[in-house]
Amino acid sequence: MRNKGSKYPIAFKPILLVVFFLLVFVLVILLRSSSLPTSFQAPSVTSDSNLPTTTNPTSCPPLQHQLSASQTCNKLSPATAETLVHYVTSNITPQQTYKEISVSLRVLLKKSPCNFLVFGLGFDSPMWATLNHGGRTVFLEEDKSWIQQIQSKFPTLESYHVVYDTKVARAAELMEIGKREECNVVGDPRVSGCELAMKGNLPEEVYEVEWDLIMVDAPTGYHDEAPGRMKAIYTAGLMARNREEGETDVFVHDVNRVVEDEFSKVFLCEGYLSEEEGRLRRFTIPSHRTRSGRPFCPL
């Protein structure tokens, strides 16, 4: 998700303005809903994860409370305000296009607040966290110095450093390994017998969460010595299948490249492909624990 030299051009202000107005639209909807009587508000979404629950700083008290207390809930959170200012004043173009972002936005508007896991940390990260208002958004990044740089500007973003032990040059070999029987077994990635599973690479609490959305937009994958997204794609699919119930939307960016194209089709399954826009694919993967004998990919 981090911009890489001239590969991702600077400027293109219209996209930034569109993103800004999308954020404003979401905030207006949230603030309007906060002023409704509590009997008309949708029930809050809870999670069984071991990650601590994020407190929504703009949650409203009952209307019978004093007016001053009600007015407080209409105030933007500092994180949201910083995000809006950032995109209005920035000349840096997000790596995803407006149409690609819109695919994930539609799902977030339906599911948020939710658990959102993002492989990658970049200039678009504040946008994802803000669009998942009131939910939990976690970013996984390969570059420690980049984490420090982003966190210095957006300290409220939750990100973790991840070490990858693969290279794009091994992609063909890993594809063959992924066809073995042990890689078609659904279970906790930490105890998987498949070499493609990220077993000890992630923070322990990440494995405990049932993620509603997973975005694979990292690690670096555009040259042979880069770690590539082979394990990230496989592990995202395994996490989705291993949830107790429900389904997970998994997004893979840069599917114009060989690794992202082939690994997403094989391990997230073409039968679960629900949408494709530009360089982005969305797969909707159901829990495999709710129905015994479900094949790794739909027949």
Side-chain angles (χ1 to χ4, degrees), residues 3 15 26 39 78 98 100 107 127 141 161 164 169 184 194 202 206 251 269 271 296:
N3 284 8
I15 289 182
V26 173
S39 60
Y98 166 71
E100 291 168 353
V107 179
M127 175 189 68
E141 172 59 38
H161 179 239
Y164 294 90
N184 288 317
C194 183
L202 306 179
V206 171
F251 304 87
C269 306
F296 194 80

Short mmCIF file of all heavy atoms in Angstrom, two decimals, residues 3 15 26 39 78 98 100 107 127 141 161 164 169 184 194 202 206 251 269 271 296:
data_model
loop_
_atom_site.label_atom_id
_atom_site.label_comp_id
_atom_site.label_asym_id
_atom_site.label_seq_id
_atom_site.Cartn_x
_atom_site.Cartn_y
_atom_site.Cartn_z
N ASN A 3 3.44 3.92 -1.47
CA ASN A 3 3.80 4.33 -2.81
C ASN A 3 5.25 3.99 -3.08
O ASN A 3 6.11 4.18 -2.24
CB ASN A 3 3.59 5.84 -2.98
CG ASN A 3 2.14 6.16 -3.13
OD1 ASN A 3 1.29 5.30 -2.95
ND2 ASN A 3 1.84 7.40 -3.45
N ILE A 15 -9.35 12.55 -7.53
CA ILE A 15 -9.58 11.35 -6.70
C ILE A 15 -9.60 11.73 -5.22
O ILE A 15 -10.43 11.26 -4.45
CB ILE A 15 -8.50 10.29 -6.96
CG1 ILE A 15 -8.70 9.68 -8.34
CG2 ILE A 15 -8.55 9.19 -5.91
CD1 ILE A 15 -7.73 8.58 -8.70
N VAL A 26 -20.24 9.88 4.73
CA VAL A 26 -20.35 8.87 5.79
C VAL A 26 -20.53 9.54 7.14
O VAL A 26 -21.35 9.13 7.97
CB VAL A 26 -19.11 7.96 5.81
CG1 VAL A 26 -19.14 7.02 7.03
CG2 VAL A 26 -19.04 7.14 4.54
N SER A 39 -34.51 4.40 20.43
CA SER A 39 -35.35 3.30 19.98
C SER A 39 -35.25 3.08 18.48
O SER A 39 -35.62 2.04 17.98
CB SER A 39 -36.82 3.57 20.34
OG SER A 39 -37.26 4.77 19.72
N PRO A 78 -10.91 13.58 16.94
CA PRO A 78 -9.64 14.10 16.42
C PRO A 78 -9.11 13.29 15.24
O PRO A 78 -8.59 13.85 14.28
CB PRO A 78 -8.71 14.01 17.64
CG PRO A 78 -9.63 14.10 18.82
CD PRO A 78 -10.87 13.37 18.40
N TYR A 98 -10.70 5.47 -7.86
CA TYR A 98 -12.00 5.75 -7.27
C TYR A 98 -12.94 4.54 -7.40
O TYR A 98 -13.61 4.15 -6.45
CB TYR A 98 -12.62 6.97 -7.96
CG TYR A 98 -14.09 7.14 -7.66
CD1 TYR A 98 -14.53 7.54 -6.40
CD2 TYR A 98 -15.05 6.86 -8.64
CE1 TYR A 98 -15.88 7.68 -6.13
CE2 TYR A 98 -16.40 7.00 -8.38
CZ TYR A 98 -16.81 7.41 -7.12
OH TYR A 98 -18.14 7.52 -6.85
N GLU A 100 -12.11 1.37 -7.76
CA GLU A 100 -11.63 0.27 -6.92
C GLU A 100 -11.99 0.51 -5.45
O GLU A 100 -12.47 -0.39 -4.75
CB GLU A 100 -10.12 0.10 -7.09
CG GLU A 100 -9.73 -0.42 -8.46
CD GLU A 100 -8.25 -0.32 -8.76
OE1 GLU A 100 -7.51 0.29 -7.94
OE2 GLU A 100 -7.80 -0.83 -9.79
N VAL A 107 -19.08 -2.34 0.70
CA VAL A 107 -19.10 -3.40 1.72
C VAL A 107 -18.97 -2.80 3.12
O VAL A 107 -19.66 -3.21 4.05
CB VAL A 107 -17.98 -4.43 1.46
CG1 VAL A 107 -17.99 -5.52 2.52
CG2 VAL A 107 -18.14 -5.05 0.08
N MET A 127 -7.96 6.64 5.56
CA MET A 127 -9.27 6.56 4.92
C MET A 127 -9.99 5.27 5.34
O MET A 127 -11.17 5.31 5.70
CB MET A 127 -9.12 6.60 3.39
CG MET A 127 -10.42 6.38 2.64
SD MET A 127 -10.17 6.18 0.86
CE MET A 127 -9.32 4.59 0.81
N GLU A 141 2.33 -4.38 8.33
CA GLU A 141 3.32 -3.73 7.46
C GLU A 141 4.69 -4.37 7.60
O GLU A 141 5.12 -4.75 8.69
CB GLU A 141 3.39 -2.24 7.80
CG GLU A 141 4.48 -1.45 7.14
CD GLU A 141 4.41 -1.49 5.62
OE1 GLU A 141 3.29 -1.46 5.06
OE2 GLU A 141 5.49 -1.54 4.99
N HIS A 161 4.27 -4.69 12.85
CA HIS A 161 5.34 -5.08 11.93
C HIS A 161 5.27 -6.58 11.67
O HIS A 161 5.08 -7.38 12.60
CB HIS A 161 6.71 -4.72 12.53
CG HIS A 161 7.86 -5.11 11.66
ND1 HIS A 161 8.85 -5.97 12.07
CD2 HIS A 161 8.15 -4.77 10.37
CE1 HIS A 161 9.72 -6.13 11.10
NE2 HIS A 161 9.32 -5.41 10.06
N TYR A 164 8.19 -11.31 6.51
CA TYR A 164 7.86 -12.33 5.53
C TYR A 164 9.11 -13.11 5.15
O TYR A 164 10.19 -12.54 5.01
CB TYR A 164 7.25 -11.69 4.28
CG TYR A 164 5.91 -11.03 4.52
CD1 TYR A 164 5.83 -9.69 4.91
CD2 TYR A 164 4.72 -11.73 4.38
CE1 TYR A 164 4.60 -9.07 5.14
CE2 TYR A 164 3.49 -11.13 4.60
CZ TYR A 164 3.44 -9.79 4.98
OH TYR A 164 2.23 -9.19 5.22
N ALA A 169 10.31 -14.77 -6.46
CA ALA A 169 11.00 -15.75 -7.30
C ALA A 169 10.58 -17.18 -6.98
O ALA A 169 10.73 -18.07 -7.82
CB ALA A 169 12.51 -15.59 -7.13
N ASN A 184 -5.24 -27.99 1.72
CA ASN A 184 -6.69 -27.94 1.52
C ASN A 184 -7.46 -28.24 2.79
O ASN A 184 -8.67 -28.49 2.75
CB ASN A 184 -7.10 -28.93 0.43
CG ASN A 184 -6.68 -28.46 -0.95
OD1 ASN A 184 -6.82 -27.29 -1.27
ND2 ASN A 184 -6.13 -29.37 -1.74
N CYS A 194 0.40 -26.55 6.12
CA CYS A 194 0.74 -25.98 4.82
C CYS A 194 1.82 -24.91 4.97
O CYS A 194 1.72 -24.02 5.82
CB CYS A 194 -0.49 -25.37 4.16
SG CYS A 194 -0.19 -24.71 2.51
N LEU A 202 2.47 -13.33 12.52
CA LEU A 202 1.52 -12.29 12.90
C LEU A 202 1.42 -12.16 14.41
O LEU A 202 1.69 -13.12 15.14
CB LEU A 202 0.14 -12.61 12.32
CG LEU A 202 0.07 -12.85 10.82
CD1 LEU A 202 -1.36 -13.19 10.41
CD2 LEU A 202 0.58 -11.65 10.04
N VAL A 206 -4.06 -11.21 16.40
CA VAL A 206 -4.63 -11.17 15.06
C VAL A 206 -5.28 -12.50 14.71
O VAL A 206 -6.31 -12.54 14.03
CB VAL A 206 -3.54 -10.80 14.03
CG1 VAL A 206 -4.06 -10.97 12.60
CG2 VAL A 206 -3.09 -9.36 14.23
N PHE A 251 -10.41 -8.86 -0.18
CA PHE A 251 -10.07 -8.04 -1.33
C PHE A 251 -8.59 -8.24 -1.66
O PHE A 251 -7.74 -8.23 -0.76
CB PHE A 251 -10.33 -6.56 -1.04
CG PHE A 251 -11.74 -6.26 -0.63
CD1 PHE A 251 -12.12 -6.35 0.71
CD2 PHE A 251 -12.69 -5.89 -1.56
CE1 PHE A 251 -13.42 -6.07 1.11
CE2 PHE A 251 -14.00 -5.61 -1.17
CZ PHE A 251 -14.36 -5.71 0.16
N CYS A 269 -10.38 -18.86 -4.53
CA CYS A 269 -11.32 -19.63 -5.36
C CYS A 269 -12.17 -18.75 -6.29
O CYS A 269 -12.85 -17.82 -5.83
CB CYS A 269 -12.23 -20.51 -4.52
SG CYS A 269 -11.33 -21.60 -3.38
N GLY A 271 -14.81 -19.62 -7.60
CA GLY A 271 -16.21 -19.81 -7.24
C GLY A 271 -16.70 -18.85 -6.17
O GLY A 271 -17.91 -18.65 -6.00
N PHE A 296 -12.66 -27.20 -0.17
CA PHE A 296 -11.86 -25.98 -0.02
C PHE A 296 -12.32 -24.92 -1.00
O PHE A 296 -12.43 -23.75 -0.66
CB PHE A 296 -10.38 -26.32 -0.25
CG PHE A 296 -9.43 -25.25 0.21
CD1 PHE A 296 -9.10 -25.11 1.55
CD2 PHE A 296 -8.86 -24.37 -0.71
CE1 PHE A 296 -8.22 -24.11 1.98
CE2 PHE A 296 -7.98 -23.39 -0.29
CZ PHE A 296 -7.66 -23.25 1.05
#
